[in-house]
Amino acid sequence: MFETKTVNGIEIIEISNAWGKAEISTLGAHVMSWTPVNEKPVLWMSKKSYFEPGKPIRGGIPVCWPWFGGVKKPSHGFARIEKWDHAVYELENGATMAVLTLDQAELADFPFHAQLAVTMGKSLEVVLTVVNKGETPVTVSGALHTYFAVSDIANVRISGLDGAAFEDRRASAAQVTGHVQDGEVAVDAEVDRLYTSTTADVIYSDLGTGRSILVEKLGSYSTVVWNPWIEKAKAMPDFGDQEFRKMICIEAANAGSDSRILIPGVSHTLAQKITVL
Ligand code: BG6
């Protein structure tokens, strides 16, 4: 089942089925919430998030594309601030699939087609497929920039990245490259890590709730783990000062050396599948 409502001129698709509930904004093809039955919400959303055309939403699953980070403005690309078209399908297995598409954007400098398919069944699957509709190859980067809700950041342990090389992308980092993850990731300060060569699935455990979540990915050799911590949270107008305690971003990325060359007519797919264990 699904319904749509309009807030600030932006359509929100509300999905519900036997597996749970989800909300998807057509601004940015952005999954704003996902709550499986008998579970607390899996995704985090800032109480101070903007929700207006032209501004990114802070929380849920931002679609960062066709570039990752601040290499150009706006940060993380234009896909997350554009209005996407949508269609919703009820699948025979009881899952619901919303398909969002984007074919043009003022800031685009090559013709493209982007599609985000969000399927809510037992898991939440988010599949971004992009095609270069032009005649010359282009290089793109991006991420499914998922914000997970946690009881307290001190309770979070992330496994699956042990031994993976990472770049430390904090402004304060003495050295960006040359780091290797040792054991689980725990967060007790700002973390902005680009794991540069990993296809691994990740599990994060929340020791406060006892809940573990499996985060699988496809089409990605890079994973980003981000928590802004105190100072950076304070510096962001759309992020509450204490909200960093309640979230962790685990992102399936095509970032840095994992940027992709899109040959004309050939598609690339980046996907994330989230399951409460
Ligand atoms: C992360 C980056 O993916 O996104 C961080 O690694 C960045 O460096 C963060 O601060 C949030 O970006 P934005 O543009 O949504 O504020």
Side-chain angles (χ1 to χ4, degrees), residues 120-144:
M120 185 181 69
K122 178 171 168 31
S123 304
L124 186 77
E125 294 177 39
V126 181
V127 181
L128 174 68
T129 303
V130 293
V131 189
N132 173 2
K133 304 279 275 184
E135 283 165 10
T136 47
V138 290
T139 301
V140 296
S141 54
L144 298 168

Side-chain angles (χ1 to χ4, degrees), residues 58 68 75-76 80 145 147 192 224 226 232 236 251:
R58 178 72 68 193
F68 179 83
S75 168
H76 287 322
R80 66 177 179 164
H145 192 303
Y147 288 80
D192 191 351
V224 175
W226 181 62
K232 204 164 172 184
M236 289 185 281
E251 309 167 30

Side-chain angles (χ1 to χ4, degrees), residues 7-229:
V7 179
N8 291 349
I10 300 159
E11 267 188 292
I12 300 174
I13 310 159
E14 298 177 316
I15 290 174
S16 85
N17 63 27
W19 301 103
K21 289 181 183 206
E23 292 171 301
I24 304 160
S25 159
T26 53
L27 171 66
H30 196 124
V31 181
M32 298 176 68
S33 68
W34 174 43
T35 310
V37 278
N38 302 324
E39 287 288 340
K40 292 222 163 77
V42 173
L43 304 176
W44 174 87
M45 176 62 63
S46 170
K47 293 190 172 62
K48 294 185 75 181
S49 177
Y50 299 116
F51 190 68
E52 47 190 277
K55 290 193 174 167
I57 298 166
R58 178 72 68 193
I61 310 183
V63 176
C64 303
W65 192 82
W67 58 88
F68 179 83
V71 286
K72 281 197 270 183
K73 284 207 170 19
S75 168
H76 287 322
F78 56 74
R80 66 177 179 164
I81 56 171
E82 287 290 334
K83 277 198 202 172
W84 295 50
D85 294 326
H86 73 273
V88 183
Y89 305 92
E90 308 289 356
L91 307 186
E92 275 180 24
N93 62 3
T96 306
M97 179 165 77
V99 178
L100 297 103
T101 52
L102 183 70
D103 289 285
Q104 54 189 17
E106 219 173 278
L107 292 168
D109 54 10
F110 67 98
F112 68 93
H113 174 72
Q115 175 188 286
L116 190 83
V118 180
T119 305
M120 185 181 69
K122 178 171 168 31
S123 304
L124 186 77
E125 294 177 39
V126 181
V127 181
L128 174 68
T129 303
V130 293
V131 189
N132 173 2
K133 304 279 275 184
E135 283 165 10
T136 47
V138 290
T139 301
V140 296
S141 54
L144 298 168
H145 192 303
T146 310
Y147 288 80
F148 291 99
V150 302
S151 60
D152 187 287
I153 189 64
N155 296 330
V156 174
R157 301 288 180 275
I158 303 170
S159 62
L161 295 167
D162 186 25
F166 68 88
E167 292 179 6
D168 183 349
R169 294 169 68 108
R170 295 172 302 166
S172 60
Q175 198 185 321
V176 176
T177 54
H179 306 279
V180 175
Q181 181 63 40
D182 182 14
E184 295 178 326
V185 183
V187 178
D188 60 2
E190 181 189 351
V191 170
D192 191 351
R193 294 185 186 169
L194 171 61
Y195 291 87
T196 49
S197 188
T198 176
T199 55
D201 300 332
V202 159
I203 293 177
Y204 83 83
S205 304
D206 185 327
L207 307 178
T209 58
R211 184 163 82 169
S212 290
I213 296 202
L214 170 65
V215 187
E216 298 170 271
K217 65 172 186 167
L218 199 79
S220 158
Y221 288 122
S222 48
T223 295
V224 175
V225 176
W226 181 62
N227 180 290
W229 211 249

